[in-house]
Amino acid sequence: MKLGRLNHIGIATPSLEASIAYYREVMGATKVHAPFDLPAQGVKVCFVDTPGENGSAGTQIELIEPYDETSTITGFLAKNPAGGQHHMCYEVADIHEAKAWFEGLGCRVLGEPRIGAHGTLIFFVHPKDMNGVLTEIMETPKEGAAH
Amino acid sequence: MKLGRLNHIGIATPSLEASIAYYREVMGATKVHAPFDLPAQGVKVCFVDTPGENGSAGTQIELIEPYDETSTITGFLAKNPAGGQHHMCYEVADIHEAKAWFEGLGCRVLGEPRIGAHGTLIFFVHPKDMNGVLTEIMETPKEGAAH
């Protein structure tokens, strides 16, 4: 496998509203997408764009607030009440090939590929097998799809 | 202030060597820079490049291993023995203007601007004032400088 684009950094937050205000007012973000629910994971999500090199699209910030006590984010916030960095998401060309790659290396893939926040298939890999970082692998959206 | 480029994600690790092997062999990184010491912070550092959109340079991974017990990374690893996401670093055009901006908003800037891993001036801002994330602010390297 070849290292793909770092699509986004997932940031858990106890308040999507406060985090959006932080990115706008403290960090000066100008492109904040509309928040939406991701019921499969019991979370509300909001993407914030960062600028890439030479006018390209940079790695996004994915703000994540749980709205359901069964959400995996709820446990993270219990340990980190102010929120913080939750996961890193890399793109791959083919999600099934990527799953076979990680499993072949003995990395624990957490569940089957499912539709993620960008509308393409994703899975997570256990942080203990990924250099201490909860890692999301997502299939690159097709040309013209929203970042 | 306007949101700048996400220059790198700092990842603390108990073993730079093992983390480099992980990025090369598991994640498929092809551009791993030469590790070097950053004595002011008591750490060894290694940058790994990720690809950006349309051939641009993406956000880097900054692997950080403490070689000194007084390093701030030592405390982080005591709590997170496997390592993990430690900080996020955004670029700004002028480090002194940025310091005045954050201080004006009541955000705790940790020390005076000093030379960071990319050879430009940097400072850190307290995670409690930065949406739960330890945040590094760095002056963008001049044209032609190494990423």
Side-chain angles (χ1 to χ4, degrees):
Chain A
M1 205 183 76
K2 200 176 160 190
L3 184 66
R5 184 165 171 267
L6 186 56
N7 183 276
H8 64 260
I9 305 297
I11 310 277
T13 172
S15 165
L16 210 57
E17 192 183 346
S19 289
I20 291 169
Y22 161 79
Y23 271 98
R24 280 194 191 282
E25 293 160 24
V26 179
M27 292 305 292
T30 52
K31 292 188 186 172
V32 177
H33 295 250
F36 61 97
D37 291 351
L38 205 59
Q41 295 176 45
V43 295
K44 290 188 286 187
V45 169
C46 178
F47 282 102
V48 177
D49 289 359
T50 73
E53 192 187 51
N54 301 329
S56 63
T59 293
Q60 288 180 309
I61 308 301
E62 182 191 34
L63 299 169
I64 320 164
E65 179 195 332
Y67 64 75
D68 181 329
E69 285 189 3
T70 65
S71 164
T72 54
I73 305 292
T74 304
F76 181 90
L77 287 176
K79 286 185 197 164
N80 308 276
Q85 292 184 73
H86 179 262
H87 68 268
M88 297 175 71
C89 176
Y90 292 94
E91 294 179 14
V92 293
D94 185 305
I95 198 80
H96 301 289
E97 274 181 24
K99 182 166 181 275
W101 167 264
F102 287 112
E103 287 177 339
L105 291 169
C107 301
R108 282 162 281 182
V109 171
L110 305 169
E112 290 302 310
R114 55 199 176 280
I115 296 291
H118 278 306
T120 66
L121 289 168
I122 64 109
F123 59 79
F124 284 87
V125 192
H126 200 293
K128 287 201 175 161
D129 299 328
M130 299 300 270
N131 196 45
V133 176
L134 177 62
T135 303
E136 181 180 357
I137 303 295
M138 75 173 263
E139 205 166 84
T140 303
K142 295 284 177 284
E143 196 74 32
H147 288 294
Chain B
M1 204 181 76
K2 200 174 159 190
L3 184 66
R5 185 168 170 267
L6 187 54
N7 182 276
H8 64 262
I9 305 297
I11 310 278
T13 173
S15 165
L16 209 57
E17 192 182 346
S19 289
I20 291 170
Y22 162 81
Y23 271 97
R24 280 194 191 281
E25 293 159 24
V26 179
M27 292 304 294
T30 53
K31 291 188 186 172
V32 178
H33 296 250
F36 62 95
D37 292 350
L38 205 58
Q41 294 176 45
V43 295
K44 290 188 285 187
V45 169
C46 178
F47 282 102
V48 177
D49 289 359
T50 73
E53 192 186 52
N54 300 331
S56 63
T59 292
Q60 290 180 309
I61 308 301
E62 182 191 33
L63 299 169
I64 321 164
E65 179 194 332
Y67 64 75
D68 182 327
E69 285 189 5
T70 65
S71 165
T72 54
I73 305 292
T74 305
F76 181 89
L77 287 175
K79 287 184 198 166
N80 308 275
Q85 293 181 73
H86 179 262
H87 68 268
M88 298 175 70
C89 176
Y90 291 94
E91 295 181 13
V92 294
D94 185 306
I95 199 80
H96 301 289
E97 273 180 25
K99 182 167 181 274
W101 167 264
F102 287 112
E103 286 178 338
L105 290 169
C107 300
R108 281 163 282 184
V109 170
L110 306 169
E112 290 302 310
R114 53 200 178 279
I115 296 292
H118 278 307
T120 66
L121 288 168
I122 64 107
F123 59 80
F124 284 87
V125 192
H126 199 293
K128 287 201 175 161
D129 299 329
M130 300 297 272
N131 196 45
V133 176
L134 177 63
T135 303
E136 181 179 356
I137 302 296
M138 74 174 264
E139 204 165 85
T140 304
K142 294 284 177 284
E143 195 74 32
H147 290 293

mmCIF file of all heavy atoms in Angstrom, chain A residues 65-110:
data_model
loop_
_atom_site.group_PDB
_atom_site.id
_atom_site.type_symbol
_atom_site.label_atom_id
_atom_site.label_comp_id
_atom_site.label_asym_id
_atom_site.label_seq_id
_atom_site.Cartn_x
_atom_site.Cartn_y
_atom_site.Cartn_z
ATOM 1 N N GLU A 65 -19.439 15.528 17.874
ATOM 2 C CA GLU A 65 -20.113 15.589 19.180
ATOM 3 C C GLU A 65 -21.079 14.422 19.291
ATOM 4 O O GLU A 65 -21.884 14.211 18.385
ATOM 5 C CB GLU A 65 -20.885 16.915 19.310
ATOM 6 C CG GLU A 65 -21.620 17.036 20.642
ATOM 7 C CD GLU A 65 -22.670 18.152 20.676
ATOM 8 O OE1 GLU A 65 -22.521 19.146 19.940
ATOM 9 O OE2 GLU A 65 -23.656 17.991 21.418
ATOM 10 N N PRO A 66 -21.019 13.651 20.379
ATOM 11 C CA PRO A 66 -21.968 12.537 20.524
ATOM 12 C C PRO A 66 -23.360 13.055 20.872
ATOM 13 O O PRO A 66 -23.485 14.032 21.597
ATOM 14 C CB PRO A 66 -21.402 11.734 21.697
ATOM 15 C CG PRO A 66 -20.618 12.712 22.494
ATOM 16 C CD PRO A 66 -20.106 13.751 21.528
ATOM 17 N N TYR A 67 -24.387 12.434 20.308
ATOM 18 C CA TYR A 67 -25.746 12.778 20.760
ATOM 19 C C TYR A 67 -26.406 11.551 21.362
ATOM 20 O O TYR A 67 -27.592 11.538 21.658
ATOM 21 C CB TYR A 67 -26.608 13.385 19.650
ATOM 22 C CG TYR A 67 -26.932 12.489 18.471
ATOM 23 C CD1 TYR A 67 -27.876 11.474 18.582
ATOM 24 C CD2 TYR A 67 -26.312 12.682 17.243
ATOM 25 C CE1 TYR A 67 -28.177 10.671 17.490
ATOM 26 C CE2 TYR A 67 -26.605 11.885 16.159
ATOM 27 C CZ TYR A 67 -27.545 10.873 16.289
ATOM 28 O OH TYR A 67 -27.838 10.076 15.226
ATOM 29 N N ASP A 68 -25.627 10.536 21.607
ATOM 30 C CA ASP A 68 -26.147 9.236 22.008
ATOM 31 C C ASP A 68 -25.128 8.666 22.997
ATOM 32 O O ASP A 68 -23.927 8.677 22.735
ATOM 33 C CB ASP A 68 -26.215 8.380 20.728
ATOM 34 C CG ASP A 68 -26.777 6.994 20.987
ATOM 35 O OD1 ASP A 68 -26.579 6.459 22.082
ATOM 36 O OD2 ASP A 68 -27.403 6.450 20.057
ATOM 37 N N GLU A 69 -25.603 8.174 24.127
ATOM 38 C CA GLU A 69 -24.669 7.693 25.147
ATOM 39 C C GLU A 69 -23.923 6.433 24.724
ATOM 40 O O GLU A 69 -22.940 6.058 25.358
ATOM 41 C CB GLU A 69 -25.406 7.438 26.464
ATOM 42 C CG GLU A 69 -25.726 8.752 27.163
ATOM 43 C CD GLU A 69 -26.257 8.548 28.565
ATOM 44 O OE1 GLU A 69 -26.315 7.377 28.992
ATOM 45 O OE2 GLU A 69 -26.605 9.543 29.205
ATOM 46 N N THR A 70 -24.420 5.777 23.680
ATOM 47 C CA THR A 70 -23.740 4.565 23.241
ATOM 48 C C THR A 70 -22.628 4.887 22.240
ATOM 49 O O THR A 70 -21.879 4.016 21.816
ATOM 50 C CB THR A 70 -24.733 3.588 22.564
ATOM 51 O OG1 THR A 70 -25.220 4.213 21.369
ATOM 52 C CG2 THR A 70 -25.901 3.269 23.468
ATOM 53 N N SER A 71 -22.515 6.170 21.887
ATOM 54 C CA SER A 71 -21.482 6.555 20.925
ATOM 55 C C SER A 71 -20.087 6.272 21.493
ATOM 56 O O SER A 71 -19.844 6.418 22.689
ATOM 57 C CB SER A 71 -21.615 8.048 20.617
ATOM 58 O OG SER A 71 -20.449 8.514 19.997
ATOM 59 N N THR A 72 -19.183 5.891 20.607
ATOM 60 C CA THR A 72 -17.809 5.656 21.058
ATOM 61 C C THR A 72 -17.158 6.957 21.525
ATOM 62 O O THR A 72 -16.206 6.944 22.305
ATOM 63 C CB THR A 72 -16.946 5.092 19.905
ATOM 64 O OG1 THR A 72 -17.051 5.968 18.778
ATOM 65 C CG2 THR A 72 -17.414 3.705 19.506
ATOM 66 N N ILE A 73 -17.688 8.079 21.057
ATOM 67 C CA ILE A 73 -17.134 9.377 21.463
ATOM 68 C C ILE A 73 -17.461 9.689 22.924
ATOM 69 O O ILE A 73 -16.722 10.400 23.597
ATOM 70 C CB ILE A 73 -17.698 10.502 20.562
ATOM 71 C CG1 ILE A 73 -17.435 10.195 19.081
ATOM 72 C CG2 ILE A 73 -17.100 11.850 20.921
ATOM 73 C CD1 ILE A 73 -15.999 10.255 18.675
ATOM 74 N N THR A 74 -18.584 9.140 23.409
ATOM 75 C CA THR A 74 -18.986 9.392 24.797
ATOM 76 C C THR A 74 -17.897 8.928 25.764
ATOM 77 O O THR A 74 -17.547 9.640 26.708
ATOM 78 C CB THR A 74 -20.325 8.669 25.098
ATOM 79 O OG1 THR A 74 -21.289 9.107 24.138
ATOM 80 C CG2 THR A 74 -20.831 8.992 26.491
ATOM 81 N N GLY A 75 -17.342 7.754 25.528
ATOM 82 C CA GLY A 75 -16.270 7.235 26.378
ATOM 83 C C GLY A 75 -15.017 8.088 26.298
ATOM 84 O O GLY A 75 -14.362 8.352 27.312
ATOM 85 N N PHE A 76 -14.719 8.558 25.092
ATOM 86 C CA PHE A 76 -13.542 9.416 24.906
ATOM 87 C C PHE A 76 -13.703 10.703 25.708
ATOM 88 O O PHE A 76 -12.770 11.155 26.378
ATOM 89 C CB PHE A 76 -13.369 9.721 23.411
ATOM 90 C CG PHE A 76 -12.169 10.582 23.098
ATOM 91 C CD1 PHE A 76 -10.937 9.999 22.836
ATOM 92 C CD2 PHE A 76 -12.278 11.962 23.064
ATOM 93 C CE1 PHE A 76 -9.826 10.789 22.551
ATOM 94 C CE2 PHE A 76 -11.179 12.758 22.784
ATOM 95 C CZ PHE A 76 -9.949 12.171 22.521
ATOM 96 N N LEU A 77 -14.915 11.285 25.656
ATOM 97 C CA LEU A 77 -15.139 12.549 26.370
ATOM 98 C C LEU A 77 -15.169 12.358 27.880
ATOM 99 O O LEU A 77 -14.846 13.278 28.638
ATOM 100 C CB LEU A 77 -16.428 13.220 25.886
ATOM 101 C CG LEU A 77 -16.357 13.838 24.489
ATOM 102 C CD1 LEU A 77 -17.725 14.395 24.092
ATOM 103 C CD2 LEU A 77 -15.309 14.943 24.421
ATOM 104 N N ALA A 78 -15.544 11.159 28.331
ATOM 105 C CA ALA A 78 -15.515 10.898 29.769
ATOM 106 C C ALA A 78 -14.070 10.990 30.279
ATOM 107 O O ALA A 78 -13.807 11.492 31.374
ATOM 108 C CB ALA A 78 -16.100 9.519 30.066
ATOM 109 N N LYS A 79 -13.131 10.539 29.437
ATOM 110 C CA LYS A 79 -11.709 10.609 29.827
ATOM 111 C C LYS A 79 -11.104 11.977 29.519
ATOM 112 O O LYS A 79 -10.128 12.384 30.121
ATOM 113 C CB LYS A 79 -10.911 9.548 29.049
ATOM 114 C CG LYS A 79 -11.146 8.129 29.538
ATOM 115 C CD LYS A 79 -10.234 7.159 28.792
ATOM 116 C CE LYS A 79 -10.709 5.734 28.936
ATOM 117 N NZ LYS A 79 -10.097 4.830 27.962
ATOM 118 N N ASN A 80 -11.671 12.651 28.518
ATOM 119 C CA ASN A 80 -11.142 13.950 28.068
ATOM 120 C C ASN A 80 -12.301 14.943 27.966
ATOM 121 O O ASN A 80 -12.802 15.213 26.872
ATOM 122 C CB ASN A 80 -10.474 13.819 26.685
ATOM 123 C CG ASN A 80 -9.447 12.704 26.622
ATOM 124 O OD1 ASN A 80 -8.296 12.883 26.993
ATOM 125 N ND2 ASN A 80 -9.874 11.517 26.180
ATOM 126 N N PRO A 81 -12.735 15.470 29.111
ATOM 127 C CA PRO A 81 -13.964 16.285 29.115
ATOM 128 C C PRO A 81 -13.912 17.504 28.195
ATOM 129 O O PRO A 81 -14.952 17.934 27.702
ATOM 130 C CB PRO A 81 -14.099 16.719 30.581
ATOM 131 C CG PRO A 81 -13.283 15.736 31.355
ATOM 132 C CD PRO A 81 -12.165 15.306 30.457
ATOM 133 N N ALA A 82 -12.716 18.042 27.954
ATOM 134 C CA ALA A 82 -12.627 19.215 27.077
ATOM 135 C C ALA A 82 -12.593 18.815 25.605
ATOM 136 O O ALA A 82 -12.574 19.671 24.730
ATOM 137 C CB ALA A 82 -11.373 20.028 27.412
ATOM 138 N N GLY A 83 -12.568 17.503 25.340
ATOM 139 C CA GLY A 83 -12.417 17.040 23.960
ATOM 140 C C GLY A 83 -10.950 16.966 23.573
ATOM 141 O O GLY A 83 -10.059 17.144 24.416
ATOM 142 N N GLY A 84 -10.692 16.698 22.301
ATOM 143 C CA GLY A 84 -9.314 16.612 21.825
ATOM 144 C C GLY A 84 -9.216 15.730 20.596
ATOM 145 O O GLY A 84 -10.231 15.284 20.048
ATOM 146 N N GLN A 85 -7.957 15.484 20.187
ATOM 147 C CA GLN A 85 -7.726 14.701 18.969
ATOM 148 C C GLN A 85 -8.179 13.262 19.176
ATOM 149 O O GLN A 85 -7.697 12.587 20.078
ATOM 150 C CB GLN A 85 -6.245 14.726 18.601
ATOM 151 C CG GLN A 85 -5.763 16.091 18.154
ATOM 152 C CD GLN A 85 -4.305 16.057 17.714
ATOM 153 O OE1 GLN A 85 -4.000 15.537 16.650
ATOM 154 N NE2 GLN A 85 -3.420 16.590 18.524
ATOM 155 N N HIS A 86 -9.046 12.798 18.314
ATOM 156 C CA HIS A 86 -9.656 11.485 18.457
ATOM 157 C C HIS A 86 -9.137 10.467 17.442
ATOM 158 O O HIS A 86 -8.881 9.328 17.783
ATOM 159 C CB HIS A 86 -11.183 11.641 18.342
ATOM 160 C CG HIS A 86 -11.943 10.359 18.448
ATOM 161 N ND1 HIS A 86 -12.393 9.673 17.324
ATOM 162 C CD2 HIS A 86 -12.315 9.630 19.511
ATOM 163 C CE1 HIS A 86 -13.015 8.578 17.722
ATOM 164 N NE2 HIS A 86 -12.987 8.521 19.028
ATOM 165 N N HIS A 87 -9.017 10.861 16.177
ATOM 166 C CA HIS A 87 -8.506 9.939 15.164
ATOM 167 C C HIS A 87 -7.902 10.688 13.978
ATOM 168 O O HIS A 87 -8.093 11.892 13.831
ATOM 169 C CB HIS A 87 -9.617 8.982 14.681
ATOM 170 C CG HIS A 87 -10.706 9.631 13.887
ATOM 171 N ND1 HIS A 87 -11.860 10.123 14.456
ATOM 172 C CD2 HIS A 87 -10.827 9.879 12.553
ATOM 173 C CE1 HIS A 87 -12.633 10.642 13.504
ATOM 174 N NE2 HIS A 87 -12.032 10.499 12.341
ATOM 175 N N MET A 88 -7.174 9.938 13.138
ATOM 176 C CA MET A 88 -6.626 10.468 11.894
ATOM 177 C C MET A 88 -7.184 9.630 10.761
ATOM 178 O O MET A 88 -7.272 8.407 10.884
ATOM 179 C CB MET A 88 -5.094 10.371 11.899
ATOM 180 C CG MET A 88 -4.473 11.210 13.012
ATOM 181 S SD MET A 88 -2.665 11.005 13.142
ATOM 182 C CE MET A 88 -2.147 11.851 11.652
ATOM 183 N N CYS A 89 -7.553 10.275 9.658
ATOM 184 C CA CYS A 89 -8.174 9.563 8.542
ATOM 185 C C CYS A 89 -7.369 9.732 7.259
ATOM 186 O O CYS A 89 -7.157 10.853 6.789
ATOM 187 C CB CYS A 89 -9.599 10.075 8.318
ATOM 188 S SG CYS A 89 -10.396 9.320 6.879
ATOM 189 N N TYR A 90 -6.940 8.602 6.705
ATOM 190 C CA TYR A 90 -6.192 8.575 5.449
ATOM 191 C C TYR A 90 -7.058 8.014 4.329
ATOM 192 O O TYR A 90 -7.842 7.082 4.540
ATOM 193 C CB TYR A 90 -4.957 7.672 5.580
ATOM 194 C CG TYR A 90 -3.900 8.201 6.496
ATOM 195 C CD1 TYR A 90 -3.858 7.828 7.829
ATOM 196 C CD2 TYR A 90 -2.918 9.072 6.021
ATOM 197 C CE1 TYR A 90 -2.870 8.311 8.674
ATOM 198 C CE2 TYR A 90 -1.930 9.557 6.856
ATOM 199 C CZ TYR A 90 -1.908 9.178 8.182
ATOM 200 O OH TYR A 90 -0.929 9.652 9.013
ATOM 201 N N GLU A 91 -6.852 8.531 3.127
ATOM 202 C CA GLU A 91 -7.583 8.035 1.961
ATOM 203 C C GLU A 91 -6.862 6.855 1.311
ATOM 204 O O GLU A 91 -5.630 6.779 1.333
ATOM 205 C CB GLU A 91 -7.722 9.149 0.906
ATOM 206 C CG GLU A 91 -8.581 10.303 1.372
ATOM 207 C CD GLU A 91 -8.696 11.405 0.317
ATOM 208 O OE1 GLU A 91 -8.339 11.162 -0.857
ATOM 209 O OE2 GLU A 91 -9.134 12.506 0.665
ATOM 210 N N VAL A 92 -7.666 5.963 0.739
ATOM 211 C CA VAL A 92 -7.127 4.875 -0.088
ATOM 212 C C VAL A 92 -7.974 4.790 -1.359
ATOM 213 O O VAL A 92 -9.121 5.244 -1.384
ATOM 214 C CB VAL A 92 -7.181 3.494 0.631
ATOM 215 C CG1 VAL A 92 -6.238 3.460 1.829
ATOM 216 C CG2 VAL A 92 -8.605 3.135 1.039
ATOM 217 N N ALA A 93 -7.402 4.183 -2.397
ATOM 218 C CA ALA A 93 -8.122 4.070 -3.666
ATOM 219 C C ALA A 93 -9.204 2.994 -3.578
ATOM 220 O O ALA A 93 -10.285 3.145 -4.155
ATOM 221 C CB ALA A 93 -7.140 3.735 -4.795
ATOM 222 N N ASP A 94 -8.931 1.912 -2.856
ATOM 223 C CA ASP A 94 -9.868 0.785 -2.799
ATOM 224 C C ASP A 94 -9.981 0.286 -1.364
ATOM 225 O O ASP A 94 -9.014 -0.224 -0.785
ATOM 226 C CB ASP A 94 -9.360 -0.338 -3.721
ATOM 227 C CG ASP A 94 -10.347 -1.501 -3.807
ATOM 228 O OD1 ASP A 94 -10.723 -2.050 -2.748
ATOM 229 O OD2 ASP A 94 -10.738 -1.870 -4.934
ATOM 230 N N ILE A 95 -11.161 0.418 -0.783
ATOM 231 C CA ILE A 95 -11.341 0.108 0.642
ATOM 232 C C ILE A 95 -11.160 -1.388 0.928
ATOM 233 O O ILE A 95 -10.638 -1.762 1.985
ATOM 234 C CB ILE A 95 -12.727 0.617 1.131
ATOM 235 C CG1 ILE A 95 -12.765 0.727 2.659
ATOM 236 C CG2 ILE A 95 -13.869 -0.264 0.636
ATOM 237 C CD1 ILE A 95 -12.122 1.970 3.206
ATOM 238 N N HIS A 96 -11.574 -2.237 0.002
ATOM 239 C CA HIS A 96 -11.481 -3.685 0.256
ATOM 240 C C HIS A 96 -10.029 -4.167 0.168
ATOM 241 O O HIS A 96 -9.589 -4.994 0.972
ATOM 242 C CB HIS A 96 -12.413 -4.438 -0.693
ATOM 243 C CG HIS A 96 -13.846 -4.007 -0.534
ATOM 244 N ND1 HIS A 96 -14.602 -4.315 0.576
ATOM 245 C CD2 HIS A 96 -14.644 -3.239 -1.329
ATOM 246 C CE1 HIS A 96 -15.808 -3.761 0.458
ATOM 247 N NE2 HIS A 96 -15.860 -3.118 -0.688
ATOM 248 N N GLU A 97 -9.304 -3.619 -0.782
ATOM 249 C CA GLU A 97 -7.868 -3.933 -0.850
ATOM 250 C C GLU A 97 -7.155 -3.469 0.420
ATOM 251 O O GLU A 97 -6.281 -4.156 0.952
ATOM 252 C CB GLU A 97 -7.223 -3.224 -2.053
ATOM 253 C CG GLU A 97 -7.323 -3.984 -3.348
ATOM 254 C CD GLU A 97 -6.643 -3.250 -4.504
ATOM 255 O OE1 GLU A 97 -5.737 -2.420 -4.263
ATOM 256 O OE2 GLU A 97 -7.055 -3.507 -5.649
ATOM 257 N N ALA A 98 -7.552 -2.293 0.890
ATOM 258 C CA ALA A 98 -6.913 -1.750 2.099
ATOM 259 C C ALA A 98 -7.221 -2.642 3.307
ATOM 260 O O ALA A 98 -6.339 -2.914 4.133
ATOM 261 C CB ALA A 98 -7.399 -0.323 2.353
ATOM 262 N N LYS A 99 -8.457 -3.106 3.399
ATOM 263 C CA LYS A 99 -8.832 -3.974 4.527
ATOM 264 C C LYS A 99 -7.982 -5.248 4.499
ATOM 265 O O LYS A 99 -7.439 -5.676 5.530
ATOM 266 C CB LYS A 99 -10.320 -4.296 4.448
ATOM 267 C CG LYS A 99 -10.832 -5.160 5.592
ATOM 268 C CD LYS A 99 -12.350 -5.151 5.652
ATOM 269 C CE LYS A 99 -12.891 -5.989 6.799
ATOM 270 N NZ LYS A 99 -13.027 -7.411 6.462
ATOM 271 N N ALA A 100 -7.841 -5.834 3.307
ATOM 272 C CA ALA A 100 -7.035 -7.058 3.180
ATOM 273 C C ALA A 100 -5.572 -6.783 3.546
ATOM 274 O O ALA A 100 -4.913 -7.607 4.191
ATOM 275 C CB ALA A 100 -7.148 -7.593 1.749
ATOM 276 N N TRP A 101 -5.081 -5.615 3.154
ATOM 277 C CA TRP A 101 -3.695 -5.223 3.460
ATOM 278 C C TRP A 101 -3.464 -5.177 4.974
ATOM 279 O O TRP A 101 -2.537 -5.803 5.499
ATOM 280 C CB TRP A 101 -3.407 -3.869 2.823
ATOM 281 C CG TRP A 101 -2.153 -3.200 3.291
ATOM 282 C CD1 TRP A 101 -2.034 -2.253 4.275
ATOM 283 C CD2 TRP A 101 -0.821 -3.427 2.819
ATOM 284 N NE1 TRP A 101 -0.737 -1.881 4.427
ATOM 285 C CE2 TRP A 101 0.043 -2.580 3.549
ATOM 286 C CE3 TRP A 101 -0.281 -4.263 1.837
ATOM 287 C CZ2 TRP A 101 1.420 -2.536 3.333
ATOM 288 C CZ3 TRP A 101 1.097 -4.229 1.622
ATOM 289 C CH2 TRP A 101 1.926 -3.378 2.362
ATOM 290 N N PHE A 102 -4.337 -4.432 5.684
ATOM 291 C CA PHE A 102 -4.131 -4.287 7.132
ATOM 292 C C PHE A 102 -4.325 -5.615 7.856
ATOM 293 O O PHE A 102 -3.560 -5.958 8.757
ATOM 294 C CB PHE A 102 -5.054 -3.194 7.707
ATOM 295 C CG PHE A 102 -4.627 -1.803 7.327
ATOM 296 C CD1 PHE A 102 -5.398 -1.031 6.473
ATOM 297 C CD2 PHE A 102 -3.435 -1.275 7.801
ATOM 298 C CE1 PHE A 102 -4.996 0.247 6.103
ATOM 299 C CE2 PHE A 102 -3.020 0.004 7.433
ATOM 300 C CZ PHE A 102 -3.806 0.761 6.585
ATOM 301 N N GLU A 103 -5.329 -6.358 7.450
ATOM 302 C CA GLU A 103 -5.560 -7.654 8.094
ATOM 303 C C GLU A 103 -4.390 -8.608 7.829
ATOM 304 O O GLU A 103 -3.989 -9.374 8.712
ATOM 305 C CB GLU A 103 -6.886 -8.253 7.618
ATOM 306 C CG GLU A 103 -8.078 -7.507 8.233
ATOM 307 C CD GLU A 103 -9.427 -8.003 7.753
ATOM 308 O OE1 GLU A 103 -9.492 -8.630 6.672
ATOM 309 O OE2 GLU A 103 -10.427 -7.734 8.453
ATOM 310 N N GLY A 104 -3.840 -8.529 6.636
ATOM 311 C CA GLY A 104 -2.683 -9.366 6.305
ATOM 312 C C GLY A 104 -1.471 -9.060 7.172
ATOM 313 O O GLY A 104 -0.609 -9.920 7.390
ATOM 314 N N LEU A 105 -1.416 -7.826 7.670
ATOM 315 C CA LEU A 105 -0.306 -7.424 8.543
ATOM 316 C C LEU A 105 -0.631 -7.680 10.015
ATOM 317 O O LEU A 105 0.166 -7.366 10.900
ATOM 318 C CB LEU A 105 0.003 -5.935 8.339
ATOM 319 C CG LEU A 105 0.624 -5.554 6.995
ATOM 320 C CD1 LEU A 105 0.627 -4.040 6.820
ATOM 321 C CD2 LEU A 105 2.057 -6.086 6.900
ATOM 322 N N GLY A 106 -1.840 -8.216 10.265
ATOM 323 C CA GLY A 106 -2.231 -8.508 11.648
ATOM 324 C C GLY A 106 -2.800 -7.316 12.395
ATOM 325 O O GLY A 106 -2.934 -7.343 13.619
ATOM 326 N N CYS A 107 -3.150 -6.240 11.678
ATOM 327 C CA CYS A 107 -3.758 -5.062 12.320
ATOM 328 C C CYS A 107 -5.251 -5.317 12.496
ATOM 329 O O CYS A 107 -5.912 -5.797 11.569
ATOM 330 C CB CYS A 107 -3.544 -3.817 11.475
ATOM 331 S SG CYS A 107 -1.808 -3.437 11.181
ATOM 332 N N ARG A 108 -5.776 -4.959 13.674
ATOM 333 C CA ARG A 108 -7.185 -5.215 13.965
ATOM 334 C C ARG A 108 -8.112 -4.184 13.302
ATOM 335 O O ARG A 108 -8.202 -3.041 13.761
ATOM 336 C CB ARG A 108 -7.404 -5.225 15.478
ATOM 337 C CG ARG A 108 -6.961 -6.515 16.131
ATOM 338 C CD ARG A 108 -6.777 -6.356 17.621
ATOM 339 N NE ARG A 108 -5.497 -5.705 17.918
ATOM 340 C CZ ARG A 108 -5.038 -5.471 19.148
ATOM 341 N NH1 ARG A 108 -5.775 -5.812 20.202
ATOM 342 N NH2 ARG A 108 -3.859 -4.891 19.325
ATOM 343 N N VAL A 109 -8.788 -4.616 12.254
ATOM 344 C CA VAL A 109 -9.781 -3.778 11.578
ATOM 345 C C VAL A 109 -11.086 -3.890 12.369
ATOM 346 O O VAL A 109 -11.543 -4.994 12.676
ATOM 347 C CB VAL A 109 -9.973 -4.233 10.117
ATOM 348 C CG1 VAL A 109 -11.159 -3.529 9.473
ATOM 349 C CG2 VAL A 109 -8.691 -3.966 9.322
ATOM 350 N N LEU A 110 -11.664 -2.730 12.717
ATOM 351 C CA LEU A 110 -12.821 -2.697 13.616
ATOM 352 C C LEU A 110 -14.115 -2.694 12.804
ATOM 353 O O LEU A 110 -14.662 -1.653 12.461
ATOM 354 C CB LEU A 110 -12.728 -1.463 14.522
ATOM 355 C CG LEU A 110 -11.401 -1.355 15.321
ATOM 356 C CD1 LEU A 110 -11.264 0.007 15.984
ATOM 357 C CD2 LEU A 110 -11.307 -2.468 16.356
#
